C-alpha cells in the first residue's frame, strides 16, 4: 500500500489547477480609461469650435482660422518624438500628472481672449501637452493589461476616445451656439481638470515605473533574471526547478521585443542600431504604417463630410453622422477585442478593412439619410477595430522598457495620416468632386488591406 501511495504522490503533485484569468477591470485600468476620456473630450470639444471662434471673434482670414485648429495636431505630432525620452528621464507617472496640469492651464488660457498669434502658440503648446498625456496614459495602460487580454483591454480603453469623439463635438457646438465661446472654454477646462485626480489614483505595478535610461532598465531586468537563474540550480526538486526556469525565461523575455513577423525582423534590423532607435520602435512601424494609411482616408470624413452632405441635400443626417459612427465603435470594440485575443488579427481586422472600403462606397453613392447613417456604422466599425487591434498588435510583444517608444511610434503614424490628409485631399477634392473623392478613399482602404496582409502574413503566433 505504501508503495502504491508513493507512486501516486508524484502524479498528484504534477496536477496543478488552471490559473485564474488575470483581472482586467482594476483600479489602474478604470482610472486610466477615465483619464483618457477627459483629455479626449477636451480635445474634441475645442477642435470643432476653434476655426469658427477665430473667424467670428478675431476676424482672422480663413486660412489662419483653419490653422488655429490644426496647430493642435502639429503640436501633438512633435510630442510623439519627445514623449518616450521624457518618460525615460522623468518617469511615467510624474510626467502624466504634470501633463494633466498643463492641459488645465492651457485650456483656461483660451478665456483670456488672446490675439491670434498668441492663440496659435497656445494651440501648439496644448497639442504638445495632449500628445504627451495621451502617449503616456496609453503606455501605462498597455503595460498593466494582461498579455492574454491585450485585444480586449485595449478595445475597452479605446472606447474612452470613442466617447470623447462623440460627446466632445456635440457639447462644443451646443454650448457655442447657445451660451458662447467663454462657456465652451470653461466647461472644457473643468472636464480636463478631472484628469488630475484620475492620474493621482493610478498605482501601476513596479515594472511600469520605468525611469532613467533604457540601458538601466534592461540591466535591472537582467539582474533579476540572473538572480532567478541562480535559484534554478538550488531548487530542491524537479517541480521547483521547472518553476524557477520558467520565471527566468519570463524575466529574460521581458527585456526584449520579440518581432511577431519576418517583416518586423527586417525593419528592426535596419533601425535597431541607428539614432532613430531612441524615438522609433522599429518593429511597430509596419502595422503603424498600415493604420496611418487608413487614418489618411479617415481624415476625409473630418474635412469634407459637412460640405459634401450639404451639396447633396443630406445635411440633417450628416449632423448625427459621428454619433452613429461612435455608437458603432462602442458596440463592436469589446467583441472584436476578445475575438482578437482568441483567434488573432486576420479574422478580425480583414472584415474591418472591408467595412471601411464599403462604407466609403456607400457614402459616395448616398441618396438618402439612411445611406449616410449606414456608411457611418460601417466606417465606425472599420476605423475603430483597426485602431484598437492595430495598437494591440504593436504592443502585445513589446518589452515594458520600450512600451513608451512603441506607443509614440504608433500614434505618430496616425497623426501623420490625419494631418497630411486634409492638405493633399484639399488639392484633389476640387478637381474630382466629393463623391469621387470618397470612391478614392475606398481604394485607399483596399490598399491598406493589401498592406496589412503583407505585414501580417508571416505572423508567428506571438499571442
Amino acid at each position: 500500500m505504501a508503495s502504491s501511495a508513493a507512486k501516486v504522490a508524484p502524479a498528484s503533485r504534477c496536477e496543478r489547477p488552471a490559473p485564474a484569468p488575470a483581472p482586467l477591470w482594476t483600479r489602474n485600468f478604470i482610472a486610466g480609461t477615465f483619464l483618457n476620456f477627459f483629455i479626449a473630450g477636451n480635445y474634441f470639444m475645442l477642435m470643432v469650435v476653434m476655426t469658427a471662434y477665430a473667424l467670428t471673434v478675431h476676424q482672422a482670414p480663413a486660412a489662419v482660422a483653419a490653422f488655429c485648429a490644426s496647430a493642435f495636431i502639429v503640436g501633438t505630432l512633435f510630442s510623439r518624438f519627445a514623449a518616450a525620452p521624457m518618460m525615460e528621464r522623468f518617469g511615467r507617472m510624474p510626467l502624466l500628472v504634470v501633463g494633466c496640469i498643463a492641459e488645465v492651464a492651457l485650456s483656461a488660457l483660451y478665456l483670456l481672449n488672446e490675439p491670434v498669434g498668441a492663440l496659435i502658440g497656445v494651440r501648439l503648446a496644448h497639442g504638445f501637452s495632449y500628445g504627451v498625456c495621451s502617449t503616456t496614459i496609453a503606455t501605462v495602460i498597455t503595460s498593466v493589461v494582461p498579455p492574454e487580454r491585450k485585444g480586449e483591454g485595449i478595445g475597452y480603453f479605446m472606447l474612452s476616445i470613442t466617447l470623447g469623439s462623440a460627446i466632445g463635438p456635440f457639447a462644443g457646438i451646443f454650448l457655442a451656439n447657445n451660451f458662447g465661446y467663454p462657456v465652451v472654454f470653461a466647461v472644457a477646462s473643468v472636464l480636463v481638470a478631472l484628469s488630475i485626480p484620475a492620474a493621482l489614483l493610478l498605482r501601476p505595478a513596479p515594472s511600469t515605473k520605468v525611469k532613467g535610461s533604457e540601458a538601466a532598465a534592461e540591466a535591472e531586468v537582467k539582474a533579476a533574471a540572473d538572480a532567478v537563474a541562480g535559484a534554478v540550480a538550488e531548487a530542491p526538486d524537479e517541480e521547483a526547478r521547472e518553476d524557477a526556469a520558467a520565471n527566468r525565461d519570463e524575466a529574460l523575455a521581458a527585456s526584449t521585443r520579440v518581432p511577431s513577423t519576418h517583416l518586423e525582423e527586417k525593419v528592426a534590423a535596419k533601425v535597431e542600431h541607428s539614432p532613430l532607435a531612441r524615438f522609433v520602435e522599429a518593429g511597430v512601424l509596419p502595422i503603424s504604417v498600415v493604420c496611418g494609411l487608413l487614418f489618411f482616408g479617415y481624415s476625409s470624413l473630418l474635412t469634407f463630410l459637412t460640405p459634401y452632405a450639404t451639396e447633396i441635400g443630406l445635411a440633417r443626417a450628416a449632423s448625427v453622422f459621428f454619433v452613429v459612427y461612435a455608437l458603432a465603435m462602442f458596440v463592436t470594440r469589446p467583441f472584436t477585442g476578445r475575438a482578437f485575443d482568441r483567434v488573432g488579427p486576420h479574422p478580425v481586422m480583414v472584415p474591418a478593412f472591408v467595412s471601411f472600403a464599403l462604407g466609403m462606397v456607400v457614402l459616395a453613392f448616398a441618396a438618402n439619410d439612411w445611406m449616410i447613417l449606414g456608411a457611418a456604422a460601417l466606417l465606425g466599425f472599420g476605423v475603430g477595430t483597426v485602431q484598437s487591434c492595430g495598437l494591440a498588435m504593436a504592443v502585445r510583444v513589446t518589452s515594458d522598457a520600450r512600451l513608451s517608444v512603441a506607443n509614440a511610434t504608433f500614434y505618430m503614424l496616425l497623426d501623420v495620416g490625419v494631418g497630411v490628409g486634409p492638405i493633399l485631399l484639399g488639392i484633389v477634392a476640387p478637381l474630382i468632386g466629393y463623391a469621387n473623392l470618397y470612391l478614392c478613399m475606398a481604394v485607399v482602404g483596399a490598399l491598406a488591406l493589401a498592406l496589412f496582409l503583407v505585414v501580417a502574413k508571416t505572423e508567428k503566433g506571438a499571442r
Side-chain angles (χ1 to χ4, degrees):
M1 295 293 291
S3 175
S4 61
K7 293 179 181 178
V8 174
S12 62
R13 185 175 59 189
C14 293
E15 293 177 0
R16 304 175 189 175
L24 177 62
W25 293 97
T26 61
R27 181 174 75 170
N28 290 333
F29 186 80
I30 295 171
T33 301
F34 272 102
L35 187 154
N36 206 46
F37 166 71
F38 297 142
I39 63 175
N42 171 277
Y43 157 49
F44 285 106
M45 187 183 299
L46 295 176
M47 181 65 77
V48 296
V49 303
M50 197 54 58
T51 300
Y53 169 70
L55 285 170
T56 58
V57 175
H58 294 285
Q59 302 297 311
V64 175
F67 187 67
C68 287
S70 59
F72 188 99
I73 303 297
V74 176
T76 302
L77 184 58
F78 278 111
S79 76
R80 304 303 187 190
F81 291 95
M86 291 171 71
M87 278 186 259
E88 290 178 4
R89 181 175 179 81
F90 302 110
R92 296 173 188 173
M93 297 313 303
L95 183 64
L96 182 60
V97 173
V98 171
C100 291
I101 294 172
E103 285 252 31
V104 178
L106 290 165
S107 297
L109 285 179
Y110 297 117
L111 291 165
L112 299 181
N113 197 27
E114 61 270 12
V116 171
L119 177 62
I120 292 175
V122 171
R123 292 294 288 166
L124 286 168
H126 193 180
F128 187 90
S129 67
Y130 170 78
V132 168
C133 286
S134 61
T135 304
T136 305
I137 190 57
T139 302
V140 171
I141 291 298
T142 52
S143 68
V144 300
V145 170
E148 67 276 11
R149 303 183 71 178
K150 283 291 188 198
E152 180 186 4
I154 292 176
Y156 281 121
F157 173 69
M158 287 294 188
L159 286 179
S160 58
I161 300 179
T162 301
L163 289 175
S165 67
I167 296 173
F170 175 80
I173 294 171
F174 176 81
L175 293 173
N177 291 340
N178 293 277
F179 301 99
Y181 294 109
V183 174
V184 176
F185 301 145
V187 172
S189 300
V190 171
L191 178 64
V192 79
L194 296 174
S195 66
I196 297 175
L200 296 175
L201 282 173
L202 286 168
R203 294 290 185 273
S207 62
T208 70
K209 298 177 181 178
V210 175
K211 180 179 177 180
S213 68
E214 182 186 344
E218 292 183 354
E220 203 173 301
V221 174
K222 186 178 184 301
D226 290 341
V228 177
V232 174
E234 300 178 5
D237 55 29
E238 183 178 354
E239 181 180 356
R241 285 196 296 272
E242 290 175 358
D243 291 341
N247 291 336
R248 177 196 61 196
D249 293 340
E250 289 179 4
L252 290 173
S255 65
T256 309
R257 184 182 202 277
V258 181
S260 61
T261 69
H262 293 306
L263 181 59
E264 284 187 12
E265 290 177 350
K266 293 179 180 179
V267 175
K270 292 183 178 296
V271 180
E272 184 177 3
H273 301 295
S274 73
L276 283 176
R278 181 172 174 80
F279 306 100
V280 174
E281 179 66 12
V284 173
L285 282 173
I287 188 62
S288 300
V289 169
V290 171
C291 295
L293 180 61
L294 196 82
F295 268 67
F296 173 84
Y298 164 73
S299 70
S300 66
L301 301 175
L302 297 176
T303 309
F304 302 112
L305 177 66
T306 298
Y308 171 57
T310 302
E311 180 182 276
I312 61 177
L314 298 176
R316 182 181 63 176
S319 66
V320 293
F321 178 93
F322 286 103
V323 175
V324 175
Y325 173 90
L327 284 174
M329 283 189 183
F330 190 85
V331 170
T332 59
R333 264 185 175 167
F335 302 103
T336 56
R338 286 195 292 269
F340 176 91
D341 291 329
R342 289 196 304 268
V343 300
H346 285 79
V348 179
M349 295 184 71
V350 169
F353 284 108
V354 173
S355 180
F356 177 89
L358 183 59
M360 287 296 183
V361 171
V362 172
L363 189 61
F365 290 104
N368 54 57
D369 291 351
W370 292 108
M371 293 184 72
I372 291 284
L373 299 182
L378 289 168
L379 291 164
F381 166 68
V383 175
T385 300
V386 169
Q387 182 186 22
S388 60
C389 292
L391 180 58
M393 285 184 67
V395 304
R396 64 181 176 173
V397 287
T398 300
S399 67
D400 188 75
R402 296 289 291 178
L403 267 180
S404 58
V405 186
N407 278 282
T409 302
F410 183 81
Y411 283 110
M412 188 190 307
L413 269 296
L414 262 57
D415 291 340
V416 169
V418 174
V420 171
I423 299 173
L424 298 181
L425 299 180
I427 299 172
V428 174
L431 302 176
I432 64 175
Y434 295 123
N436 289 328
L437 177 69
Y438 286 119
L439 286 176
C440 291
M441 294 305 98
V443 176
V444 168
L447 178 60
L449 171 59
L451 288 177
F452 168 76
L453 294 175
V454 172
V455 166
K457 73 177 180 179
T458 54
E459 183 76 24
K460 295 178 181 177
R463 293 177 291 124

